[in-house]
Amino acid sequence: MTDYNFNEAKNWFEELRNQLIKIVSEIDGSDFIKTNWTHRHQGGGTMAKIKGSVIEKGGVNISSVSGKFSSQMQDKIPGAKDNPNYKATGISVVLHPMSPKIPSMHFNTRYLMTTEQWFGGGMDITPCMDFKNLELYHQGLKNICDTHDSKKYSEYKKWCDDYFYLPHRKEARGAGGIFFDYLKNDWEQDFEFIMDIGKYFRDFIQSTFLELKNEKWSNTEKDLQLIKRSRYAEFNLLHDRGTKFGLETGGNIDAILMSMPPIAKWD
Amino acid sequence: MTDYNFNEAKNWFEELRNQLIKIVSEIDGSDFIKTNWTHRHQGGGTMAKIKGSVIEKGGVNISSVSGKFSSQMQDKIPGAKDNPNYKATGISVVLHPMSPKIPSMHFNTRYLMTTEQWFGGGMDITPCMDFKNLELYHQGLKNICDTHDSKKYSEYKKWCDDYFYLPHRKEARGAGGIFFDYLKNDWEQDFEFIMDIGKYFRDFIQSTFLELKNEKWSNTEKDLQLIKRSRYAEFNLLHDRGTKFGLETGGNIDAILMSMPPIAKWD
């Protein structure tokens, strides 16, 4: 694998970022504010944040960094045991809608290079009440997975359910989706899958917001959403691997905590 | 040390609980709702929660439990190495005021018995803006400490500052106070100190609320408070020893998370 692959992945993440920002801005009527940050090793990223009337808080982050893993990390990362060098590029998206009728939506895909290389990522949604398109949402993800490998969907779905679980509350963070890592079969096909997932997320958020953004909601429903978001906050701070990794390694605090809900309520 | 000491401590924590509930209820004009819970080993506790117009969310918890430490814990707890039996009794208080002019207030004292016995506890406050009685507050704590041991105040103050610190934000959770543990000199004198700290907290909250509860505040100031509370939530979930211990050992989830702010905002 070469820099060609890395750059192809990076370019797609940037292209998808641009598409998502355009779509979400148009739906909301507000602009994203972009902030660049640099990594303490090499490279950096761009956060794009929106605080609007449809999207109460949303973030679309891309980053491309390179460096050397600490000796402690080397043992944990595939292909890093004898060579600590890595390159990583990725896109990460969180949308917390104002309306409790619309789920919070989370998506990320990434590409890592050590002496090995692989894709990882996933998407999941967190409704706080009945979400009428839930079946369609899951079916859409299944269709994409099945197109690329007829055996993987149930594995990726379970991975997501297992990951986004709060053991101390014995409840799921949300309604799940898919989650995968160490995807390293045929590069072209893997990349196709990554792009398909991104396009699916893009189209899903567009259609969901356009369909539901004008539906009325009550204060009681908003309250349900704020309570649900406290679980989202608990998950991110107690369990999320990316958050823990970022905080422990001194990453950009605003980028790491971009995913936190705008307002959360503990009863 | 004997059950006499344990019961003396337990009785004081209950007496203080009753006094605090009476005072806070009168200030707020709302009642506490009490919930009993039982420990998976032996014993249990009572949560008392208030959601009012002056106290946006407050909790006064007492508990008295006994059991055996896991072999993993035995090495970490003084006096438990050769004998896993323990008894613990304590009171824990968090008040999140509606008004941003009034600091959030936190207090706890506890008594533990293994083959050794000791008191621990502390109090700290979290203003989100200028709190005019801050000097007096610290001076009062110093006076109590000095009365019992002229050398301890600076140690207890530093312990508090070090403990309530968010390294990922490089900022303090609040304005500090005192924090102490493994207090095991003369039992009668230690107990006197514990009671003095409790009375100081009781009188401090009473005078602070009575003085400030009718002061007007703006939406901008309320917003500052909600942001400050997000740091409170981060501290509790990322760093607080009691929260981590409770979640990991399957304690009562409502009692453990009683301290979480009612509403928090991540910008």
Side-chain angles (χ1 to χ4, degrees):
Chain A
M1 294 305 126
T2 66
D3 280 348
Y4 167 79
N5 306 84
F6 188 86
N7 289 331
E8 284 288 291
K10 179 172 181 285
N11 290 341
W12 162 247
F13 297 146
E14 285 174 3
E15 167 62 23
L16 180 60
R17 190 274 308 262
N18 294 339
Q19 292 180 15
L20 290 172
I21 282 183
K22 185 164 181 292
I23 287 168
V24 173
S25 290
E26 280 176 6
I27 289 169
D28 192 276
S30 307
D31 288 328
F32 279 80
I33 293 169
K34 288 186 191 173
T35 313
N36 296 315
W37 56 272
T38 52
H39 188 257
R40 70 199 163 92
H41 291 148
Q42 198 164 16
T46 303
M47 294 184 287
K49 189 194 275 194
I50 189 171
K51 295 176 75 176
S53 55
V54 179
I55 315 291
E56 192 171 339
K57 181 183 170 191
V60 182
N61 295 347
I62 51 170
S63 65
S64 292
V65 300
S66 58
K68 290 176 195 293
F69 284 119
S70 65
S71 53
Q72 198 193 351
M73 286 297 292
Q74 274 183 265
D75 287 338
K76 296 181 188 168
I77 306 284
K81 197 171 179 185
D82 300 321
N83 182 340
N85 290 307
Y86 73 89
K87 291 179 76 169
T89 180
I91 179 171
S92 176
V93 186
V94 176
L95 301 173
H96 292 289
M98 190 67 81
S99 165
K101 297 255 166 113
I102 307 177
S104 283
M105 300 166 188
H106 171 236
F107 165 85
N108 89 82
T109 46
R110 58 191 176 267
Y111 181 62
L112 264 93
M113 286 176 79
T114 58
T115 62
E116 301 181 26
Q117 56 74 35
W118 65 92
F119 288 101
M123 69 177 281
D124 69 287
I125 62 172
T126 308
C128 65
M129 47 187 290
D130 191 44
F131 171 55
K132 58 182 168 185
N133 294 332
L134 189 59
E135 290 289 316
L136 279 172
Y137 159 78
H138 284 304
Q139 187 59 49
L141 284 171
K142 182 175 189 305
N143 292 346
I144 293 170
C145 292
D146 287 353
T147 303
H148 291 272
D149 185 334
S150 62
K151 291 171 191 151
K152 287 294 181 188
Y153 175 68
S154 60
E155 179 190 328
Y156 292 171
K157 183 176 194 301
K158 182 175 185 308
W159 201 339
C160 187
D161 289 339
D162 290 347
Y163 183 75
F164 292 106
Y165 183 74
L166 291 96
H168 61 287
R169 293 200 179 268
K170 296 184 178 64
E171 62 186 50
R173 182 176 84 165
I178 60 169
F179 192 104
F180 56 93
D181 209 351
Y182 313 116
L183 190 65
K184 41 189 284 193
N185 303 310
D186 176 274
W187 193 87
E188 294 293 340
Q189 284 179 28
D190 293 345
F191 185 42
E192 200 75 34
F193 175 69
I194 289 295
M195 290 192 289
D196 282 349
I197 294 290
K199 290 171 194 166
Y200 180 72
F201 178 74
R202 177 195 67 198
D203 297 344
F204 172 75
I205 64 170
Q206 185 168 37
S207 63
T208 303
F209 276 110
L210 290 178
E211 183 183 349
L212 297 176
K213 74 172 193 170
N214 293 322
E215 279 202 18
K216 289 199 164 51
W217 41 269
S218 68
N219 288 339
T220 308
E221 288 164 339
K222 185 71 187 174
D223 213 54
L224 275 178
Q225 185 198 49
L226 298 186
I227 299 283
K228 187 77 178 169
R229 283 184 186 160
S230 71
R231 277 57 169 167
Y232 208 95
E234 287 174 18
F235 180 85
N236 288 14
L237 296 173
L238 290 170
H239 300 297
D240 188 65
R241 292 191 310 182
T243 305
K244 273 190 185 295
F245 179 79
L247 294 177
E248 280 166 16
T249 55
N252 181 284
I253 186 73
D254 294 317
I256 295 165
L257 295 180
M258 174 72 92
S259 62
M260 295 300 278
I263 298 181
K265 183 171 181 175
W266 279 269
D267 239 351
Chain B
M1 295 304 128
T2 65
D3 279 348
Y4 167 79
N5 306 83
F6 188 87
N7 288 332
E8 284 289 291
K10 179 172 180 286
N11 289 342
W12 162 247
F13 297 147
E14 284 174 2
E15 167 62 23
L16 180 60
R17 190 275 306 265
N18 293 340
Q19 293 180 14
L20 290 172
I21 283 183
K22 184 164 181 293
I23 287 168
V24 174
S25 290
E26 279 175 8
I27 288 169
D28 193 276
S30 307
D31 289 327
F32 279 80
I33 293 169
K34 289 187 189 171
T35 313
N36 296 313
W37 56 272
T38 53
H39 189 258
R40 71 201 162 91
H41 291 148
Q42 197 164 17
T46 304
M47 294 183 287
K49 188 193 276 194
I50 189 170
K51 295 177 75 175
S53 55
V54 179
I55 314 291
E56 192 171 338
K57 181 183 169 190
V60 183
N61 295 346
I62 50 170
S63 64
S64 292
V65 301
S66 59
K68 289 177 195 294
F69 284 120
S70 66
S71 53
Q72 199 194 350
M73 287 297 292
Q74 273 183 264
D75 287 339
K76 296 182 189 169
I77 306 284
K81 198 171 178 185
D82 299 322
N83 181 341
N85 290 308
Y86 73 90
K87 289 179 78 169
T89 180
I91 178 170
S92 176
V93 186
V94 176
L95 300 173
H96 291 289
M98 189 67 80
S99 165
K101 298 253 165 115
I102 307 177
S104 283
M105 301 166 186
H106 171 236
F107 165 84
N108 89 81
T109 45
R110 57 190 177 270
Y111 181 62
L112 263 91
M113 288 176 79
T114 58
T115 62
E116 302 180 25
Q117 58 72 34
W118 65 92
F119 288 101
M123 71 177 279
D124 69 287
I125 63 172
T126 309
C128 66
M129 48 187 289
D130 191 44
F131 171 56
K132 59 181 167 186
N133 295 332
L134 189 60
E135 291 289 317
L136 279 172
Y137 159 78
H138 284 305
Q139 187 59 49
L141 285 171
K142 182 173 188 306
N143 292 345
I144 294 170
C145 292
D146 287 352
T147 303
H148 290 273
D149 184 335
S150 61
K151 291 172 191 149
K152 288 294 181 187
Y153 175 68
S154 59
E155 180 190 328
Y156 292 171
K157 183 178 195 301
K158 182 175 185 306
W159 201 339
C160 187
D161 289 339
D162 291 347
Y163 184 74
F164 292 107
Y165 183 74
L166 290 95
H168 61 286
R169 292 200 180 269
K170 297 183 177 66
E171 63 186 51
R173 183 176 84 166
I178 60 169
F179 192 103
F180 56 93
D181 209 351
Y182 313 117
L183 191 64
K184 40 188 282 192
N185 303 310
D186 176 275
W187 194 86
E188 293 294 341
Q189 284 180 29
D190 294 344
F191 186 42
E192 201 74 35
F193 174 69
I194 290 294
M195 289 192 290
D196 283 349
I197 294 289
K199 290 172 195 165
Y200 180 72
F201 178 73
R202 177 195 67 197
D203 296 344
F204 172 75
I205 65 170
Q206 186 170 36
S207 62
T208 303
F209 276 110
L210 291 177
E211 182 184 351
L212 296 176
K213 74 173 193 168
N214 293 321
E215 278 202 19
K216 288 199 165 51
W217 42 269
S218 68
N219 287 340
T220 308
E221 289 165 337
K222 185 70 186 174
D223 213 53
L224 274 178
Q225 185 198 50
L226 298 186
I227 299 282
K228 187 76 177 169
R229 284 186 186 159
S230 71
R231 276 58 166 165
Y232 209 96
E234 286 174 17
F235 180 85
N236 288 12
L237 296 173
L238 290 171
H239 300 299
D240 188 65
R241 292 191 311 183
T243 305
K244 272 188 186 295
F245 179 79
L247 293 177
E248 280 166 15
T249 56
N252 181 284
I253 185 74
D254 293 317
I256 296 164
L257 295 180
M258 174 72 92
S259 62
M260 295 299 279
I263 298 181
K265 184 171 180 175
W266 280 268
D267 239 352

